[in-house]
Amino acid sequence: MSLSQETRADKAAAAAIRRYQGRKVLNKVSGIDACGGCGRRVLDPDTGVIYARASRGYVVTLGLVRCGRIWFCPECSAAIRRGRTEEMKTGALRHLAAGGMLAVVIMTARHNRTHGLGTLSSAMWGEPKTDKFGAPVLDRSGKARRNPGAYQRMLTDPAFYGRPESVSTWTLKDGTVKSKVRPEEEGIRHRIGYAGMVRASEVTRSFENGWHPHMNCLVFLGARLDGTPANGSVTEYFRPDPEDLEQWEEWLRDFWTRMLEKADPAFKPSTDCNIVGCKCDGKGHAVMVKLITSADDKALIEYLTKVQDGKQTADSVRADLDAASGAAMETARADQKTGRGRKSMVPFQMLYRLWDIEVAGLDPDAAEGYGTAAQCRIWWAEYEDAMAGRRAIEWTRGLRGHVHLDGDDSEESDLQYVYEPQAEPLTGGVVLTADAHSTVVRADAELDVEATVRTECYDSAADVVEALGGRAGHVRVATAEELAELQENMFARLQARREERERQVRIMQFEADQAAEEREKQQLPAARPATA
């Protein structure tokens, strides 16, 4: 192994330990039940928990509940973002290979320490619609309605999306019926060949300016469509005219700024800049656009879904920029966004700081991030409240079909990436009873058990449990064959539970539809009796 490979391996191992520590803190501070049980709640007490060595040398743990919360769990987020990144790369490279064009778009809002994360996020991404009592407003199908944010309005604005042909009619006093036809109008999307976009949202917090939610979008351009982006199909690819692309960028910057100002004048980002050498080229910091016309700019695509695991993301962004020939992807406040130094951090760093201070006993000045332990808990609670129910990575309708990708971006499919590593062939391991695993969890000793499995010292796992006050007899060594059988049974059970959940959802939806139809019937006027 070369020195560079050893360095990468060491960094990967350190990041994995940090994610483990963050999740341990999350279990204690989260107000979300699924996060409280992630990595510690046993799926089936009769089976127990399996620590197994995969064929590629790493350790997997089977039999534990995973929360699958990309916003909140460092462990689950890493797995999901890795999977979504590869998915996005595949779609982007297919689009480029077919002759299309990509645009990386970064959109942000002005913010300061007085702005709440929930308010900022709602202005950008919308929020659930509620009645005067605070209860969610549902549509006829029983789904929650939403008040759109600047992002949703951007996708449907007539100047961008266009207008279909419409006919209006009216009747004059003399009974004459008049009509007027408004012809179909093309929007900017037709001229630039817009096929859809992938939105990847992020949040950072700085000591000076507070919360900073922002969006990174990968926009698929240069596709001529038969129909709409959501329901049509691509007939050919072309290179958009530079003037049309410039007009789109100008419209996007103006529209985004106006929508944020409408939500709150304090959120209006700058529309010009006098900073010498700034990457915005004097255009301001509301919107930044970088066009990609070849498959060589993979680092820019990776940037959209980089893992927020508390690493020095400012450096990773610079690496992305260097790999993409110094393309302008940073916003004006990149230092706040990327968690550089002790004056800015991503949310996971709040968990890491709590571990450093409360578990490792580090001096606060030596701990990662900033703020007191009490402040980090308050900030984390606000973060959970603001981001719960929001989608971190979202594909617009129809785009997956245009790049020939199956699946979706739902939380259910997120879980596939969380559990996917467990499908690796296993070479050996140990099985702990639920009681033995509880002993390990209480002592924060999961990594000690993993170490015995990684080094194939399987018998030592029982010694670890016994040293913690548990029973050595509650740990047994399992061969590859035994693990394969246990693994097969585990996945079968998980699949059965998933199918049952989906079945229950369909039943509930059917019952809701039936109830809605019954209410409509009751509201109809009674039929007049037939006359002889």
Side-chain angles (χ1 to χ4, degrees), residues 93-124:
L93 296 178
R94 285 178 180 175
H95 185 74
L96 290 172
M101 174 186 286
L102 299 171
V104 177
V105 180
I106 304 173
M107 292 181 282
T108 187
R110 189 184 297 275
H111 57 101
N112 62 46
R113 295 176 69 177
T114 67
H115 296 148
L117 178 57
T119 305
L120 277 164
S121 300
S122 295
M124 295 174 69

Side-chain angles (χ1 to χ4, degrees), residues 293-307:
T293 56
S294 74
D296 296 329
D297 294 315
K298 295 180 183 179
L300 288 174
I301 300 170
E302 291 175 354
Y303 168 72
L304 295 176
T305 49
K306 64 183 181 295
V307 178

Side-chain angles (χ1 to χ4, degrees), residues 43-72:
L43 279 171
D44 182 8
D46 293 334
T47 301
V49 180
I50 303 167
Y51 286 80
R53 190 177 189 276
S55 57
R56 289 192 286 176
Y58 60 83
V59 178
V60 297
T61 308
L62 292 82
L64 294 173
V65 173
R66 308 293 186 183
C67 69
R69 298 300 197 272
I70 188 172
W71 286 115
F72 309 126

